[in-house]
Amino acid sequence: MYDQPRPHPSAPVMTFDQVLERVRYEGAYPTRERAAEAVHQVLAALGRQLTGEECYDLAHCLPIEAAVTLTAQIPDAENLTGWGFVKDLAARTGATPATARWDTGAVLTVAGRLAGPDLLARLLARLPDGYALLFGQAELRRPQPVAA
């Protein structure tokens, strides 16, 4: 009947500097500045795809600098598949699709770890096909209706 309060950590598990170092390691970026650029670009793109509770809950898991980037976006009218997300990111940033895919994987893998398994499962259930791989997870096929 009534919404039960969801526990939120009072502070993110990592500082923004720690997130940048983790993304820098995951993406093998030469500088923290390059890692920060990837974090802001990918989280802004994700913020255009996520709405509602999942966006809010993910923002609570992130350091404030990353949470602001995620939540400051106006949602897109079109829900993009994982590959569409990568192509859109490449077009917006002027990067190649391969570079955008690399950046996406480096950032979303770290974000997924911060989110934890329950929230990550909710995010993947909310997003169209193709995002699990971007978060560093196995992509399970959704059941298709059997044609009679």
Side-chain angles (χ1 to χ4, degrees):
M1 240 3 171
Y2 296 102
D3 286 338
Q4 297 295 318
R6 289 184 304 273
H8 289 295
S10 58
V13 176
M14 290 181 152
T15 66
F16 189 62
D17 288 337
Q18 290 170 324
V19 167
L20 292 182
E21 283 305 314
R22 192 81 217 141
V23 170
R24 182 177 177 198
Y25 176 80
E26 292 288 335
Y29 297 117
T31 64
R32 286 173 48 96
E33 291 75 21
R34 178 63 187 98
E37 180 182 337
V39 166
H40 289 295
Q41 289 172 345
V42 171
L43 290 179
L46 185 61
R48 290 188 292 273
Q49 293 299 306
L50 279 178
T51 58
E53 289 181 25
E54 287 77 18
C55 186
Y56 175 77
D57 291 346
L58 179 58
H60 263 282
C61 299
L62 301 173
I64 188 71
E65 299 89 340
V68 167
T69 299
L70 177 74
T71 59
Q73 307 308 309
I74 297 171
D76 281 344
E78 180 183 4
N79 288 332
L80 300 172
T81 64
W83 178 236
F85 178 87
V86 169
K87 290 191 307 185
D88 182 65
L89 180 63
R92 288 177 187 262
T93 62
T96 65
T99 300
R101 171 60 181 95
W102 185 269
D103 291 348
T104 300
V107 174
L108 294 185
T109 297
V110 173
R113 285 188 200 129
L114 290 173
D118 294 337
L119 177 54
L120 182 55
R122 285 181 29 226
L123 290 169
L124 294 175
R126 172 79 99 159
L127 292 165
D129 288 338
Y131 281 85
L133 291 174
L134 300 178
F135 278 95
Q137 302 293 306
E139 181 75 41
L140 300 176
R141 297 190 77 205
R142 293 183 183 169
Q144 300 295 321
V146 178

